[in-house]
Amino acid sequence: MSRYLTPSKVGLLALISLYTDSVVPSTATIPVLSFLVSHLLPIESLGVADEVVSSHCDFTITVDSFRKATIILASGIPGRTIWDLLLKKLWEISSFDALHCFFDTLPFILEKTAEESQNADGDRAANSKLILLSRVSPLGAFVRRAQLEFTRLQFHDGIVFWKNFVSYRASTLQLWKRRNPAAGRSSFDSNLHEHRLGMDDRLTELVYGDITWDARKQPGVSTDDIEKLLEYQVDKMQKMGNRLPPLMKDQFRKMTKSGVTIPSLSHYLQFLDSWKAGDYTSSFDNLHRYFDYTMHNRDRTFYQYALLNLAILQADFGCYSDSIIAMEETISTARENNDMGCLNYSLSWLYHFSKAHPKDMGEVQKKGVLGADKDALAFLKAKAKETNMWSLLSTSLLSEAKLALSNGENVSHAFECLLKASHLNVTKNVVNAIGSQMMMQSSIYGRLGVTCQSWLSGELFLRCYANQSPIEDVMHCVCKSAYLLAQRGRYYEALDRMNEVDQESLRTLKYYQYWTAYLGMLKLQRHLHKDNLVAAEHILSQIHTIPFLGQDLLFTVVTLEIDLHVRRRDFSKAMSILENLASKLNDEEADVAQRIKIMTLKARIFDRAGIPQKGFSVALRAANLAHRALLLPGLWEAVGVVGRILISIKEYAAAARLLESIMPQVLECEDCDLAGGIFRFLADAHMGMAGQAKTGTLQRKEGLTKALECLDRSFDQFSRIEDIKGQYEMMAKKATIMHLNGDLVLANDCAAKYLDIKQAAKEHF
């Protein structure tokens, strides 16, 4: 098989020749040029979809593709279409000698160089109708490359190429007969016609006996075509994080069987596919195989990239100590070779690894490779600007915003970093970083308690930028969107949103595990609200079997496990898990939101255990920390716990004023569990104030009325999230108030509804 030339490229050259002969009218110029450019420029520059590239016929052009593109276009010759002229051009190449003549005339459609113009024969006048191609244009570069590659062909390779072209063109014989009735079965070679040789003659069988005349046969590909396709697939897999599509994998398998020389880059492609599939052995083997080939053909400048890939591979499979060793050697080798791109990327990866796995970074921190977090980010930003690595600069700015939020610093600084990253992504067209930017924007709004803006940021990303962003960003956005829906009690919509994830994305083991764990977490949350503790424990045990959960997801699962033990009234077990979780979080490195959540959970456990006063100082510390960090959902939850403690010490008026002051912001968070709990505490406060008033007074009636209103609001919130315990607790309290008011009919109705809720829950289980 030819290294570059294929029969389909002869078709492209023939079409270019027609264009330069000025037989293509102005109305057909743009369609013809668009067709040519779409098959000459690199695949990634065309912006085509992966589904289109996955087709074998999109990078090897069939004769039918030429016909469909040109048969509807009229030519400059009356009564003839571009397809008619192209067909004639192809059949004019009627012998191996004619093929040589065709390639020998190609330089005449190119502009002459200055040296050629000086040496040109002055007697030969230039054809004024001939369009000359610039030598550096896409069409001119293709013509020059094709003519050079044909000149380099050995005689045997040239004969093979000619036979392939004859086989490629054979399907148009019937169409050619309509324009040229004299054409016959042997018209593909004028020598057979001149010497009156038939297809059954010995000489014909000797020369053309091995040609395949099957019109269904796919056109051949060259090594250059495969290299371009491999480069495109590798680039897509590295940027998007997906696996090799099954259709493309089948095509590569067919190419291998057809005898085409497969470049060494195919080993790297297999490495990426095995890595995403979770096959550690195959990925490790293919990585070594690829770089073994690379070291034979190139110098040691690629050694650091082998180490870089090895470090990332080992980290994904949980070999963190080996990964750090390989990354340190990568940094050292990149410095020796003065490879700033590899060095900056390695340092950036090491920084993000240190945030995800701080306990494994002890030795690295002692050596001072990164320094403090802020110093590391400042260094990365400076180096990214020097080397014009805009993607790294955008990532560093977003990491700085995340660090500011994690440390509880000023939110305005996080917004400043976010806006800088947004401006950089737009001006420098850093498309891959837009997903991370939108997710960071959603997180900031979520921490400020503006859930509607957080939701809109995620929806904007999924609708406008999902196709251009890495699968990991899309997966995280879909899961967060489903979590926000579940907070509002829209469980079926949340499950539908989770099922919207592309099945092709779930072929990657890492993303499938994350998606499975998140789906399990949503189901666990729903079963806890339904008080189905057996099912909740079963799902929890399944989630714990999934390895390599992210820190945020793992933290959420552990808090739900604590909730499970609290609902079972196993407070000692819940407190033990909480203390174990708190000991794992270093105050300097843990997210401030996680520290606030731990303190609030501790105070709530004390409350459920009947000793709420013991959690007063913890709740106040959580509220103070959340206020300084502007983490408003955590602040409202902590304030709610403080209000519950005030109620326990009979400070009902203070608790009511405190809880009423935060209710608008609580409802803005769109968290039904949080809102239902605050309304419940507010009802207890008004009930306590009514109990302190004298019987029959207006103050007592107002207190009972407000308590009933808060109980109804709390019941509505708990009903949305299907919280069974919350519902029948509100019904029990409402029945008690009705009984105190002397309305026995309504009290009996509430008691009956209470029993119906309990009975419905039992029947459901």
Side-chain angles (χ1 to χ4, degrees):
M1 178 55 64
S2 172
R3 195 176 68 88
Y4 180 77
L5 287 176
T6 57
S8 60
K9 287 187 170 66
V10 177
L12 292 175
L13 290 170
L15 189 57
I16 292 174
S17 179
L18 291 177
Y19 169 72
T20 58
D21 289 340
S22 300
V23 296
V24 179
S26 57
T27 55
T29 299
I30 292 180
V32 168
L33 291 179
S34 299
F35 178 78
L36 290 170
V37 168
S38 65
H39 292 93
L40 294 180
L41 292 182
I43 301 174
E44 59 271 11
S45 65
L46 301 177
V48 295
D50 289 338
E51 294 82 5
V52 177
V53 178
S54 297
S55 175
H56 181 62
C57 298
D58 288 314
F59 62 96
T60 56
I61 320 167
T62 60
V63 176
D64 193 53
S65 299
F66 281 106
R67 185 185 65 82
K68 291 179 180 178
T70 57
I71 198 171
I72 60 175
L73 303 176
S75 69
I77 301 176
R80 295 289 186 268
T81 63
I82 301 295
W83 167 245
D84 295 329
L85 300 181
L86 179 60
L87 190 62
K88 180 182 178 183
K89 195 81 172 179
L90 292 176
W91 280 94
E92 284 178 350
I93 307 175
S94 57
S95 65
F96 188 43
D97 179 66
L99 183 64
H100 275 272
C101 293
F102 174 75
F103 276 93
D104 289 341
T105 58
L106 290 180
F108 295 113
I109 66 176
L110 300 174
E111 287 183 346
K112 297 182 182 298
T113 63
E115 184 177 334
E116 289 174 342
S117 299
Q118 292 176 359
N119 299 332
D121 188 3
D123 296 347
R124 185 170 58 188
N127 188 352
S128 59
K129 293 185 179 181
L130 190 65
I131 300 175
L132 297 180
L133 303 175
S134 171
R135 304 178 74 88
V136 295
S137 66
L139 298 184
F142 170 67
V143 170
R144 291 168 58 202
R145 174 78 185 274
Q147 200 272 337
L148 178 63
E149 291 292 339
F150 185 78
T151 306
R152 289 177 174 176
L153 284 179
Q154 299 293 327
F155 180 78
H156 173 73
D157 296 332
I159 292 295
V160 173
F161 177 61
W162 162 247
K163 290 180 180 179
N164 289 334
F165 175 70
V166 170
S167 176
Y168 177 77
R169 187 185 54 184
S171 61
T172 63
L173 177 60
Q174 297 301 323
L175 298 174
W176 175 238
K177 279 185 177 181
R178 295 176 186 176
R179 293 294 182 183
N180 186 13
R185 189 181 176 189
S186 61
S187 297
F188 63 88
D189 192 338
S190 59
N191 295 305
L192 299 179
H193 181 71
E194 290 176 5
H195 295 85
R196 299 180 181 180
L197 295 174
M199 296 300 296
D200 298 331
D201 289 334
R202 178 62 178 166
L203 182 59
T204 306
E205 291 182 356
L206 184 64
V207 177
Y208 294 109
D210 58 344
I211 291 183
T212 303
W213 304 99
D214 188 1
R216 296 172 298 177
K217 181 185 177 182
Q218 291 288 351
V221 294
S222 64
T223 304
D224 181 74
D225 293 330
I226 297 179
E227 284 181 352
K228 289 181 179 178
L229 191 61
L230 286 173
E231 290 172 359
Y232 172 79
Q233 288 295 338
V234 167
D235 182 66
K236 277 292 181 183
M237 293 175 72
Q238 287 180 330
K239 287 183 178 179
M240 300 301 179
N242 57 342
R243 287 186 62 190
L244 188 66
L247 180 60
M248 186 57 65
K249 190 179 293 186
D250 293 338
Q251 295 296 344
F252 280 129
R253 192 178 295 112
K254 292 178 182 178
M255 292 176 195
T256 305
K257 293 180 179 179
S258 65
V260 180
T261 303
I262 304 297
S264 61
L265 190 62
S266 62
H267 298 302
Y268 189 74
L269 187 70
Q270 293 174 2
F271 151 69
L272 291 176
D273 189 61
S274 302
W275 172 19
K276 299 302 179 183
D279 188 351
Y280 178 79
T281 305
S282 298
S283 57
F284 193 82
D285 182 47
N286 283 300
L287 178 64
H288 277 275
R289 188 175 301 173
Y290 168 68
F291 281 102
D292 284 344
Y293 279 110
T294 303
M295 294 294 289
H296 284 298
N297 300 327
R298 304 177 186 179
D299 53 32
R300 285 180 58 85
T301 54
F302 277 70
Y303 181 59
Q304 63 265 26
Y305 291 101
L307 293 170
L308 177 62
N309 281 275
L310 181 61
I312 299 174
L313 173 67
Q314 289 175 332
D316 263 13
F317 286 101
C319 306
Y320 301 130
S321 58
D322 295 336
S323 175
I324 292 173
I325 294 173
M327 188 57 70
E328 288 179 335
E329 191 173 351
T330 302
I331 294 172
S332 176
T333 308
R335 282 173 178 165
E336 291 178 5
N337 295 328
N338 200 24
D339 189 344
M340 298 307 299
C342 180
L343 176 61
N344 293 338
Y345 181 84
S346 302
L347 291 173
S348 175
W349 184 90
L350 196 60
Y351 168 78
H352 288 93
F353 181 85
S354 68
K355 302 303 293 181
H357 309 282
K359 292 185 177 180
D360 297 294
M361 293 292 293
E363 294 297 327
V364 178
Q365 295 293 347
K366 291 179 182 178
K367 295 178 182 178
V369 176
L370 287 175
D373 291 339
K374 293 184 178 179
D375 296 337
L377 288 174
F379 174 79
L380 289 173
K381 288 192 296 181
K383 291 299 180 183
K385 289 180 181 178
E386 290 178 6
T387 55
N388 293 337
M389 297 178 65
W390 306 121
S391 179
L392 176 60
L393 180 57
S394 176
T395 304
S396 300
L397 288 169
L398 294 176
S399 298
E400 187 175 356
K402 184 177 181 180
L403 181 64
L405 292 178
S406 179
N407 293 339
E409 299 176 4
N410 197 340
V411 179
S412 60
H413 179 63
F415 267 115
E416 179 185 355
C417 296
L418 180 66
L419 290 176
K420 286 181 180 179
S422 176
H423 177 264
L424 185 67
N425 294 338
V426 173
T427 55
K428 302 299 181 182
N429 195 28
V430 188
V431 180
N432 284 347
I434 292 180
S436 300
Q437 168 209 323
M438 299 295 291
M439 288 299 296
M440 179 57 63
Q441 182 176 323
S442 176
S443 297
I444 293 177
Y445 283 127
R447 287 181 176 236
L448 291 176
V450 191
T451 307
C452 59
Q453 286 292 340
S454 177
W455 166 264
L456 287 176
S457 297
E459 288 296 296
L460 180 63
F461 166 63
L462 291 176
R463 289 178 182 270
C464 302
Y465 303 104
N467 293 334
Q468 304 172 346
S469 300
I471 295 177
E472 186 174 7
D473 291 342
V474 177
M475 184 76 69
H476 288 171
C477 187
V478 168
C479 291
K480 184 173 182 180
S481 176
Y483 182 73
L484 291 177
L485 288 171
Q487 278 189 336
R488 305 174 199 173
R490 296 157 63 178
Y491 291 112
Y492 293 106
E493 293 182 39
L495 294 178
D496 290 340
R497 176 57 58 90
M498 292 293 291
N499 291 327
E500 288 177 5
V501 175
D502 185 16
Q503 293 299 315
E504 184 66 26
S505 304
L506 298 180
R507 291 179 62 237
T508 302
L509 179 63
K510 180 180 178 181
Y511 304 145
Y512 177 75
Q513 289 177 340
Y514 184 84
W515 179 84
T516 304
Y518 219 100
L519 185 63
M521 186 268 291
L522 295 177
K523 292 182 178 181
L524 170 62
Q525 192 178 41
R526 188 181 187 186
H527 282 299
L528 287 175
H529 286 154
K530 286 189 171 185
D531 205 32
N532 188 359
L533 304 185
V534 176
E537 186 176 15
H538 179 66
I539 293 176
L540 184 63
S541 63
Q542 291 180 327
I543 295 176
H544 281 316
T545 60
I546 300 176
F548 314 128
L549 293 179
Q551 280 189 336
D552 294 338
L553 181 56
L554 182 61
F555 181 83
T556 304
V557 170
V558 174
T559 56
L560 291 177
E561 184 180 3
I562 293 172
D563 187 21
L564 171 64
H565 291 292
V566 170
R567 289 174 182 269
R568 285 179 169 171
R569 304 194 64 80
D570 190 355
F571 302 116
S572 59
K573 180 66 174 179
M575 187 62 73
S576 174
I577 296 174
L578 183 64
E579 293 293 343
N580 186 35
L581 179 62
S583 64
K584 293 180 180 179
L585 296 178
N586 191 331
D587 289 341
E588 296 181 357
E589 295 179 352
D591 191 341
V592 63
Q594 296 179 353
R595 304 206 303 267
I596 293 170
K597 184 68 176 179
I598 286 176
M599 289 188 284
T600 307
L601 275 176
K602 191 172 185 179
R604 289 177 61 184
I605 292 175
F606 284 134
D607 175 39
R608 296 293 297 273
I611 46 175
Q613 295 89 346
K614 196 171 182 180
F616 186 67
S617 61
V618 179
L620 282 180
R621 283 171 52 204
N624 182 39
L625 187 58
H627 182 264
R628 284 193 287 114
L630 274 183
L631 188 62
L632 299 189
L635 175 61
W636 310 142
E637 187 177 3
V639 170
V641 176
V642 172
R644 176 67 185 91
I645 296 172
L646 290 175
I647 292 171
S648 69
I649 58 176
K650 299 183 180 181
E651 292 290 342
Y652 304 118
R657 289 194 302 271
L658 182 65
L659 296 175
E660 285 175 349
S661 66
I662 67 170
M663 278 313 304
Q665 291 84 358
V666 169
L667 295 176
E668 193 175 24
C669 292
E670 299 183 13
D671 187 346
C672 292
D673 187 38
L674 175 62
I678 300 298
F679 274 123
R680 177 174 57 189
F681 296 153
L682 191 57
D684 292 342
H686 286 299
M687 190 65 186
M689 293 169 65
Q692 290 179 339
K694 294 181 179 180
T695 305
T697 60
L698 181 61
Q699 184 180 2
R700 183 183 178 90
K701 291 182 179 180
E702 288 181 353
L704 292 176
T705 303
K706 289 182 178 180
L708 283 174
E709 181 183 354
C710 291
L711 288 175
D712 287 336
R713 299 288 296 274
S714 179
F715 181 82
D716 291 340
Q717 297 292 334
F718 286 133
S719 298
R720 291 180 184 177
I721 58 175
E722 304 175 0
D723 192 329
I724 301 299
K725 274 194 172 181
Q727 290 180 61
Y728 63 65
E729 182 182 341
M730 296 307 103
M731 280 295 104
K733 290 182 178 181
K734 190 174 181 180
T736 303
I737 294 177
M738 293 298 180
H739 190 270
L740 289 175
N741 285 337
D743 197 341
L744 299 181
V745 176
L746 289 178
N748 290 333
D749 290 343
C750 292
K753 194 171 183 180
Y754 168 86
L755 295 175
D756 290 342
I757 294 172
K758 270 198 167 185
Q759 184 64 29
K762 289 181 180 179
E763 292 177 357
H764 178 76
F765 298 154

